[in-house]
Amino acid sequence: MAKLNLIATAPMGLEAIVARELKELGYTDTQTENGRVNFTGDFLDIARTNLWLRSAGRVLVNMGRFQATTFDDLFEGVKALNWDEWLPANAEFPVNGRSHKSQLTSVPAVQGVVKKAIVEKLKEKHNTEWFPEDGPLYVLEVTLLNDEALLTIDTSGSGLHKRGYRIASTAAPLRETMAAAIVSLSRWTADRPLYDPFCGSGTILIEAAMQAWNIAPGTRRSFDSEAWDNIPGELWEQAREEAFDSVKDDVKLQITGSDIDPHAIDIATQAVRRAGFGKEIKLHVLPVAKIKPEGDYGVIISNPPYGERLGDETEAELALRQLGRASLYYPTWSHFIFSPSLEVEHYMGKIADKKRKLYNGRIQCNLVQFFGPLPPRSK
């Protein structure tokens, strides 16, 4: 079949990480834009990328792009696309919409025109006036930017951050996709210890373990496109078999987390067990002032809590100061602190080697990086 134009959506600041993940999966024709990475593939690639992408938000089918300054332009442009090759007669196809810097500013009106144009297209194929919409779900989106319309179909369903191992969470938890990106940016490898002194619900620890064992993050969940008529079920079976065959669960892990909140550790324990790392990831109820990371040349990766979880900003600042003091006793360790605070260097008592601006939802954060020495090379 002809190659499909696909899109991996990315939180702001993570486009390069998502592009790198795609290239590591073998997709070399990537093109990066704000909030998304474009690539080409086929039906099997829809399954593979949904299963394997760690930092992307969703995988979309790019149905087409065209200029639309009037509703007539929008109607005719949408109707010209090959919806009849994707949507069966009973498809449920809600239309979401966004408009920015475009002449068509009424999103409800834009959604209505898109829906009407698709119905007219489907009438030509199915020779009917009525579409029950009681079949498989195809979530469509029209995005207008600078008078250019982009039409997509969401192949994922729930966002890719929903891995399936977390049934409860602490206040303001870190998304799994962001945690995976932070671990990737740290360049941590399984031959080094990893510690999270503010582990909360354990997301960073689990994402690190999944990367170390080469576990595809989507293997525990389902996707909307698994129910689509035009993607053969055997392709999903093939992609899942490939994922299971790629697991390297013989790699020894040195991953530990702690938190001052016993309830958070209870939640983390449940998530760790559901993810399959009950024996590999160690968890402790412990204030940051008393942490004792084991080993040398380890990596601390953490998203320190703020007033929302600790009660007030004063306690949050104290926790960061205590982490800074504790780091003095572990001079060979590297530290990667993900935080919206502009005072991380001050609290840690040293100048960062590198900072990377990222967005946790709509909150601007920095991944503040303090590099320790690299482990000596084996002779």
Side-chain angles (χ1 to χ4, degrees), residues 272-295:
V272 164
R273 289 173 179 170
R274 285 177 61 85
F277 299 107
K279 295 181 179 179
E280 286 73 26
I281 296 176
K282 300 175 183 177
L283 297 168
H284 307 288
V285 178
L286 204 64
V288 65
K290 295 185 178 181
I291 63 170
K292 294 181 179 180
E294 297 180 0

Side-chain angles (χ1 to χ4, degrees), residues 168-307:
S169 63
T170 56
L174 187 66
R175 275 198 171 187
E176 294 85 339
T177 44
M178 180 60 74
I182 292 170
V183 172
S184 178
L185 286 167
S186 76
R187 302 288 183 170
W188 170 80
T189 52
D191 57 343
R192 301 174 71 179
L194 185 149
Y195 196 105
D196 182 355
F198 306 101
C199 71
S201 52
T203 308
I204 289 175
L205 308 175
I206 295 170
E207 292 299 321
M210 291 176 71
Q211 291 186 31
W213 278 11
N214 199 40
I215 295 175
T219 52
R220 291 176 173 269
R221 53 161 290 173
S222 60
F223 305 90
D224 279 0
S225 50
E226 288 185 77
W228 294 357
D229 295 343
N230 58 335
I231 302 183
E234 54 265 27
L235 295 183
W236 280 99
E237 293 176 8
Q238 178 183 339
R240 289 185 183 277
E241 287 177 6
E242 291 172 354
F244 287 128
D245 290 343
S246 299
V247 174
K248 300 176 182 177
D249 56 4
D250 57 343
V251 175
K252 183 180 179 181
L253 301 179
Q254 310 168 72
I255 299 178
T256 307
S258 60
D259 200 288
I260 196 173
D261 182 1
H263 180 59
I265 293 298
D266 287 342
I267 292 174
T269 300
Q270 293 177 34
V272 164
R273 289 173 179 170
R274 285 177 61 85
F277 299 107
K279 295 181 179 179
E280 286 73 26
I281 296 176
K282 300 175 183 177
L283 297 168
H284 307 288
V285 178
L286 204 64
V288 65
K290 295 185 178 181
I291 63 170
K292 294 181 179 180
E294 297 180 0
D296 296 318
Y297 304 101
V299 179
I300 284 180
I301 306 175
S302 197
N303 172 217
Y306 290 87

Side-chain angles (χ1 to χ4, degrees), residues 58-106:
R58 299 174 185 276
V59 177
L60 311 177
V61 179
N62 180 348
M63 295 297 292
R65 299 171 102 159
F66 53 87
Q67 290 296 119
T69 57
T70 68
F71 286 115
D72 285 341
D73 292 340
L74 182 63
F75 181 91
E76 295 301 331
V78 172
K79 188 179 177 184
L81 302 178
N82 61 331
W83 302 104
D84 52 324
E85 297 177 15
W86 286 88
L87 306 182
N90 65 340
E92 179 184 358
F93 57 104
V95 179
N96 299 324
R98 289 184 291 171
S99 179
H100 184 62
K101 295 182 179 179
S102 297
Q103 295 185 52
L104 301 180
T105 58
S106 172

